[in-house]
């Protein structure tokens, strides 16, 4: 009997101890806000915190990469500078430095036609060697046709009488960022730029035959697109030589004949739309570094 009582007391004590442990565990696992913390809550909180730290680190790395890339690109694209007439320092894309240096060297040396052809420069240049050639020719850096790419235009400066408005060379950047020649002038076949991002070509053999071709630019700015043409062909008609051209073949036989007054009026309109760019003279071009 005594043994049975003893067993019951022991069992009761064990039960009380287990119950006390459970109660203590329940209250000790509560948060300050009264919410019970579970294993899921802890895992989720840890994961979120770790994710935020990782994301922040990745974002910082991305920012650093962008900064580095931008800095590297700027250095690669701007390998030289030139000092303009107004003492304003302007950066020149590195790919255009070679072109500018070639033109400056040719102007200084008064290079002949053969040397210019070998260097890939406009053979119109010898027509501009009067006085100081570097004062007669200049360059223009801007996005002329509005396609988002910086263009380089070599041309005759304002006030010089030979070939007024003439553009010797027009460069843009290709898909690799290299200088790409869109068009180049020659004696008796030269280009001028016009308003509305147009280009006018004038080619002549003298008094008998002259053509004017008006162009626009294609979408990437790397080629010209024909808009309209005007012919003065005295071989075809001495007294009324004007024709409206709808193609580039130069043959007035398949073009629309115009009255003399209409032909002259159209020529006047084309000439009036020519645009004089503000060129920086080559005499003011001082590269900080030589192109490789």
């Amino acid at each position: 009997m005594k043994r049975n009582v003893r067993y019951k007391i022991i069992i009761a004590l064990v039960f009380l101890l287990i119950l006390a442990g459970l109660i203590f565990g329940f209250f000790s696992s509560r948060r300050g806000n009264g919410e019970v913390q579970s294993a899921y809550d802890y895992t989720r909180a840890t994961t979120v915190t770790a994710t935020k730290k990782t994301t922040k680190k990745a974002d910082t790395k991305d920012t650093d990469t962008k900064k580095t890339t931008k800095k590297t690109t700027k250095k690669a694209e701007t390998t030289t500078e030139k000092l303009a007439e107004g003492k304003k320092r302007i950066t020149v894309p590195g790919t255009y430095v070679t072109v500018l240096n070639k033109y400056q060297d040719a102007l200084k040396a008064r290079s002949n036609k053969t040397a210019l052809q070998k260097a890939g420069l406009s053979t119109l240049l010898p027509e501009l060697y009067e006085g100081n050639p570097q004062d007669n020719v200049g360059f223009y850096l801007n996005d002329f046709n509005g396609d988002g790419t910086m263009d380089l235009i070599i041309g005759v400066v304002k006030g010089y009488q030979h070939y007024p408005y003439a553009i010797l060379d027009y460069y843009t950047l290709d898909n690799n960022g290299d200088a790409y020649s869109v068009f180049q002038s020659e004696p008796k076949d030269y280009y001028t730029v016009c308003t509305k991002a147009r280009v006018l070509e004038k080619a002549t053999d003298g008094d008998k035959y002259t053509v004017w071709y008006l162009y626009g630019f294609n979408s990437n700015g790397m080629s010209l697109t024909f808009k309209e043409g005007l012919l003065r062909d005295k071989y075809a008609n001495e007294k009324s030589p004007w024709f409206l051209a709808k193609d580039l073949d130069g043959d007035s036989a398949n073009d629309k004949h115009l009255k003399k007054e209409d032909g002259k009026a159209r020529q006047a309109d084309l000439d009036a739309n020519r645009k004089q760019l503000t060129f920086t003279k080559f005499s003011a071009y001082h590269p900080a570094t030589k192109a490789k």
Side-chain angles (χ1 to χ4, degrees):
M1 181 69 182
K2 289 181 179 180
R3 182 177 295 178
N4 289 336
V5 172
R6 187 181 300 168
Y7 282 139
K8 288 181 180 178
I9 292 172
I10 291 172
I11 290 170
L13 287 174
V14 170
F15 177 79
L16 287 174
L17 287 173
I18 292 172
L19 181 62
L22 290 172
I23 294 171
F24 177 80
F26 174 81
F27 284 103
S28 65
S29 65
R30 294 181 65 85
R31 294 179 179 171
N33 60 3
E35 181 183 356
V36 178
Q37 184 178 15
S38 67
Y40 170 76
D41 285 332
Y42 178 78
T43 304
R44 182 178 59 179
T46 306
T47 305
V48 170
T49 304
T51 303
K52 284 182 179 178
K53 286 181 180 179
T54 306
T55 304
K56 188 175 181 181
K57 188 175 181 181
D59 288 345
T60 306
K61 188 176 181 182
D62 264 352
T63 304
D64 291 342
T65 304
K66 286 177 183 176
K67 286 181 180 177
T68 306
T69 304
K70 188 176 181 181
K71 187 176 180 182
T72 305
T73 304
K74 187 176 180 182
K75 185 177 180 182
E77 291 181 353
T78 309
T79 59
T80 190
E81 294 180 334
K82 60 90 182 171
L83 192 61
E85 293 169 280
K87 303 299 182 183
K88 182 182 177 182
R89 193 168 288 276
I90 302 174
T91 56
V92 179
T95 187
Y96 288 149
V97 176
T98 301
V99 178
L100 291 173
N101 289 349
K102 282 183 178 181
Y103 264 102
Q104 189 178 53
D105 292 344
L107 288 164
K108 286 180 179 179
R110 297 173 182 261
S111 299
N112 59 28
K113 183 178 178 180
T114 303
L116 293 170
Q117 288 176 327
K118 186 176 180 180
L121 307 181
S122 171
T123 54
L124 186 60
L125 213 57
E127 306 279 347
L128 311 170
Y129 287 162
E130 183 182 22
N132 180 7
Q134 293 183 82
D135 285 333
N136 304 332
V137 182
F139 62 94
Y140 173 88
L141 279 166
N142 213 324
D143 178 12
F144 176 75
N145 63 340
D147 66 348
T149 302
M150 171 102 45
D151 304 310
L152 169 64
I153 305 176
I154 312 291
V156 176
V157 301
K158 183 178 181 180
Y160 190 66
Q161 299 303 313
H162 300 307
Y163 288 93
Y165 301 94
I167 302 301
L168 280 67
D169 251 319
Y170 186 110
Y171 286 88
T172 190
L173 300 174
D174 64 15
N175 295 332
N176 296 318
D178 296 322
Y180 179 86
S181 180
V182 180
F183 61 83
Q184 186 178 84
S185 291
E186 300 175 1
K188 297 185 178 182
D189 184 1
Y190 72 100
Y191 296 82
T192 59
V193 292
C194 303
T195 57
K196 299 180 181 179
R198 298 295 177 88
V199 174
L200 181 65
E201 178 185 10
K202 180 181 179 181
T204 182
D205 71 352
D207 183 56
K208 286 282 190 180
Y209 183 87
T210 304
V211 298
W212 292 264
Y213 290 133
L214 186 65
Y215 304 94
F217 288 87
N218 72 341
S219 59
N220 62 16
M222 294 178 67
S223 64
L224 299 176
T225 56
F226 176 74
K227 298 297 181 183
E228 65 172 276
L230 180 69
L231 274 70
R232 186 178 63 195
D233 186 359
K234 288 188 177 182
Y235 296 109
N237 192 321
E238 182 72 31
K239 293 183 178 180
S240 185
W242 297 96
F243 298 86
L244 183 65
K246 295 182 179 180
D247 52 45
L248 292 165
D249 66 6
D251 184 5
S252 61
N254 58 0
D255 293 328
K256 180 182 177 181
H257 185 255
L258 297 175
K259 293 180 180 179
K260 187 175 181 179
E261 56 270 24
D262 292 338
K264 284 188 173 182
R266 186 57 191 142
Q267 181 200 346
D269 287 342
L270 290 172
D271 287 344
N273 282 311
R274 293 180 299 176
K275 186 176 181 179
Q276 177 64 61
L277 298 178
T278 304
F279 292 109
T280 297
K281 295 179 180 179
F282 273 95
S283 57
Y285 172 62
H286 306 290
T289 58
K290 282 284 185 180
K292 294 181 180 179

